[in-house]
Amino acid sequence: MIRVEDIHKHFGPLHVLRGITFDVPRAEALVIIGPSGSGKSTLLRCINLLVEPDQGKVFIDGVQVNRSDIRPEWARQQVGMVFQSFNLFTHLTVLDNVTLGPIRVKGMDREAAQEKGKQLLARVGLAPKAHAYPAELSGGQQQRVAIARALAMDPKAILFDEPTSALDPEYIREVLDVMAALARDGMTMVVVTHEMGFASNVAERILFIDAGVIVEEGRPEEIFQHPKHERTRAFVGKILR
Amino acid sequence: MAKSLEEQGRSRARIFDTIAGIVLTVGAIAFVTDLFIGRTGFNFGYVQSEIPGFLAATQLTFYVTTVSYFAGMGIGFLIGWARTARTASVRKMLRDRNAFLADDERGWETGLKTGGLVAWSGLKYVVRRIADGYVEVIRGTPLFVQIVFAWSVLIVNTPRLNQLELIAGIAALTANTGAYQGEIFRAGLQTVHSGQVEAARAVGLSRWGAMRRVVLPQALRLIIPPLTNEYIGLLKASSLLVVIGVQELTGYGKSEAFRSFKVFEVFAMVTGIYLLITVPLSKVIQAIETRLRIPGLGIQATESTSRV
């Protein structure tokens, strides 16, 4: 479903991504872990072209999307994204947050979009909050709205950029539950997270990234219990502590 | 509850203050009135008979101000947007890019891509510098001079132009308020969190779509008070058009004063009309401001007096 080939990215003199290649088959949940500054977020943003890779190829559903004859907006419609700090549109109600994309990008008519939006909000357990504003919600609720907003575009995959890192501990569970349900329903997901519970129970595969390269990849139990590389072992030791 | 001695003293002092204030104010008004019109008295009949003329002039003031204000808003938005653009110098960009291309093949495709990138950021760079320069020039020169300059350009190039003064005046005011509104828009746009744009783009909105649907609605909320302030400032500034002979409120007052020699009555009326417009408007702003203000997120209004 998603394939990146030999991705490189520079920020000025900084070589952030140094040739990363991986595949995410349909319906797989892939978790990416790695120390901060290792390029995880940049890698995610290269997939939906919020950051344009300097070199390398990004494929979504078999189509190379980082080409001059494909609009990056088209690529972004295929892949949803959920951010660490939610980034809900503060001036819009919860329902309008969810329907903005379908109405303005896909040209769906308002009634249909709202109908669908309400269903999605019900799916993340927030139907009663449809007319609230983001500032009136808890962090966990905001993040669930953000997931509904991503789903509203009928994406082929969803990217999660540390979706629980900005949450108070008591709200983490509800967001992870929604994500686990999505994975069960067969959504293709790429998740940057340090939630080891989620990674071991939901992820099919884990990539460990450090200094812009994939150091190790494997099934969760391999990575967590029998890491092959010294760097992986050190990092896993720190986060499992 | 009995008041302490100190408190009694303080409230007595307050009453004294108030009385003294009133006496001084009344005295000052009486003195000034006597100074200005003691010899002739205030001619109310004249004022009454001339009201239609003044109303027409007021209309022209509104017309000039409003047209310039909204034209300037368009300019201001574009200028403000351009000035939020991040630019890197082309030389630095090429250096960074070459640094990592060195150990790779430099095919024509990479070359084309690099060319496109350089062209795009070069364009951004140029637009940004033009916007910066425009704001510098306008804010660095007196509005008075800008008006005379606009007039001089027209009088030299198109001396037979119909309503030349009016057009020159509107052009100068538009250019002027454009720069000031540009600063207001820039502040407003920069206040909107960058994550909002990222989220909008991630949904699939274009650059313009993200601006229109997400950034502008949030920014406008913040800048309505300073924008309204700018309208008041511009309305007052339009009085400077008297210098090129536009018959707006001040210009009309000047001609009328020379015609009738009722100088004090005329300018008392001109002053009164400006006050009648600006005071209610500024009250409206205060109301809007208290209603819309988000704690810690307010934007300082530009000083509308600093331009003159």
Side-chain angles (χ1 to χ4, degrees), chain A residues 28-33 147 158-164 172-184 187-206 219-221 224 240:
Chain A
E28 184 183 86
L30 173 75
V31 161
I32 299 177
I33 59 174
I147 293 173
I158 301 186
L159 315 172
F160 293 84
D161 185 16
E162 303 203 29
T164 56
I172 291 177
R173 184 81 265 147
E174 61 189 61
V175 172
L176 292 180
D177 285 347
V178 169
M179 289 167 60
L182 274 183
R184 269 201 307 279
M187 175 58 74
T188 311
M189 301 163 60
V190 181
V191 186
V192 171
T193 187
H194 291 154
E195 287 299 327
M196 290 311 129
F198 179 85
S200 20
N201 297 329
V202 180
E204 272 94 3
R205 215 152 38 103
I206 292 182
R219 302 194 49 76
E221 53 278 13
F224 291 139
L240 285 183

Side-chain angles (χ1 to χ4, degrees), chain A residues 62-133:
Chain A
V63 182
Q64 190 193 340
V65 291
N66 61 332
R67 287 194 320 219
S68 49
D69 57 337
I70 286 190
R71 290 164 51 245
E73 283 82 10
W74 182 85
R76 293 186 199 120
Q77 288 171 45
Q78 317 301 314
V79 186
M81 187 156 189
V82 174
F83 299 89
Q84 179 175 1
S85 47
F86 329 135
N87 295 348
L88 293 182
F89 307 128
T90 55
H91 63 299
L92 297 177
T93 63
V94 164
L95 186 58
D96 288 340
N97 261 278
V98 176
T99 58
L100 181 73
I103 293 173
R104 298 297 168 198
V105 178
K106 285 193 151 180
M108 204 181 216
D109 72 69
R110 183 168 291 275
E111 272 94 76
Q114 287 188 335
E115 194 47 48
K116 185 177 181 192
K118 281 175 187 160
Q119 282 169 13
L120 288 172
L121 286 174
R123 189 165 161 196
V124 298
L126 286 172
K129 298 286 185 186
H131 300 290
Y133 282 87

Side-chain angles (χ1 to χ4, degrees), chain A residues 10 12 45 48 50 52-55 73 76-77 79 81 83 87-91 100-101 104-105 149 153, chain B residues 92 96-97 100 104-105 113 117 193 195-196 198-207 213-214 217-218 221:
Chain A
H10 296 251
R45 282 166 171 70
N48 70 351
L50 278 180
E52 203 198 338
D54 292 330
Q55 202 188 330
E73 283 82 10
R76 293 186 199 120
Q77 288 171 45
V79 186
M81 187 156 189
F83 299 89
N87 295 348
L88 293 182
F89 307 128
T90 55
H91 63 299
L100 181 73
R104 298 297 168 198
V105 178
R149 177 174 69 181
M153 294 297 289
Chain B
K92 186 164 166 291
D96 291 343
R97 214 173 152 74
F100 84 88
D104 286 304
E105 79 274 44
K113 219 168 152 192
L117 223 67
H193 194 267
Q196 296 282 318
E198 205 175 30
R201 305 277 283 154
V203 169
L205 287 167
S206 62
R207 238 171 253 276
R213 302 290 169 195
V214 175
Q218 294 183 36
R221 219 157 290 220

Side-chain angles (χ1 to χ4, degrees), chain B residues 222-280:
Chain B
L222 294 166
I223 64 179
I224 283 174
L227 276 184
T228 318
N229 245 346
E230 175 62 20
Y231 184 85
I232 296 178
L234 192 64
L235 186 118
K236 290 189 288 181
S238 72
S239 64
L240 286 175
L241 296 186
V242 67
V243 72
I244 53 172
V246 177
Q247 294 292 299
E248 44 68 58
L249 191 49
T250 308
Y252 176 79
K254 188 183 161 206
S255 323
E256 190 52 28
F258 278 118
R259 192 184 62 78
S260 65
F261 290 109
K262 300 276 190 293
V263 180
F264 179 77
E265 283 83 352
V266 165
F267 284 108
M269 195 141 164
V270 168
T271 310
I273 292 175
Y274 277 120
L275 273 177
L276 274 181
I277 298 168
T278 55
V279 171

Side-chain angles (χ1 to χ4, degrees), chain B residues 46-242:
Chain B
Y46 167 78
V47 167
Q48 244 169 14
S49 66
E50 290 303 322
I51 280 179
F54 279 98
L55 280 186
T58 309
Q59 230 171 20
L60 186 61
T61 288
F62 267 120
Y63 173 74
V64 168
T65 309
T66 309
V67 169
S68 313
Y69 179 74
F70 284 108
M73 190 177 280
I75 295 176
F77 167 63
L78 292 177
I79 291 285
W81 193 4
R83 294 195 74 192
T84 60
R86 281 206 210 121
T87 59
S89 85
V90 172
R91 196 172 353 131
K92 186 164 166 291
M93 237 186 51
L94 275 179
R95 199 189 57 214
D96 291 343
R97 214 173 152 74
N98 277 332
F100 84 88
L101 278 182
D103 48 350
D104 286 304
E105 79 274 44
R106 303 181 183 219
W108 65 271
E109 209 179 334
T110 340
L112 206 69
K113 219 168 152 192
T114 310
L117 223 67
V118 168
W120 170 240
S121 70
L123 182 73
K124 271 209 317 203
Y125 185 84
V126 169
V127 169
R128 168 82 202 262
R129 292 295 160 259
I130 290 175
D132 289 350
Y134 173 75
V135 172
E136 283 301 320
V137 167
I138 295 292
R139 299 217 306 176
T141 51
L143 174 57
F144 189 88
V145 174
Q146 290 160 15
I147 291 168
V148 178
F149 181 76
W151 176 82
S152 72
V153 168
L154 288 190
I155 201 82
V156 170
N157 294 305
T158 53
R160 285 161 198 278
L161 189 64
N162 220 3
Q163 292 197 302
L164 185 142
E165 294 81 11
L166 186 67
I167 292 169
I170 289 178
L173 288 181
T174 302
N176 184 274
T177 190
Y180 282 88
Q181 291 188 49
E183 287 296 89
I184 297 174
F185 272 103
R186 179 173 67 88
L189 296 178
Q190 281 174 343
T191 309
V192 176
H193 194 267
S194 63
Q196 296 282 318
V197 183
E198 205 175 30
R201 305 277 283 154
V203 169
L205 287 167
S206 62
R207 238 171 253 276
W208 169 243
M211 173 56 74
R212 165 137 181 249
R213 302 290 169 195
V214 175
V215 180
L216 257 189
Q218 294 183 36
L220 275 180
R221 219 157 290 220
L222 294 166
I223 64 179
I224 283 174
L227 276 184
T228 318
N229 245 346
E230 175 62 20
Y231 184 85
I232 296 178
L234 192 64
L235 186 118
K236 290 189 288 181
S238 72
S239 64
L240 286 175
L241 296 186
V242 67

Side-chain angles (χ1 to χ4, degrees), chain A residues 40-55:
Chain A
K40 299 170 307 229
S41 291
T42 308
L43 177 60
L44 271 195
R45 282 166 171 70
C46 281
I47 295 175
N48 70 351
L49 304 182
L50 278 180
V51 169
E52 203 198 338
D54 292 330
Q55 202 188 330

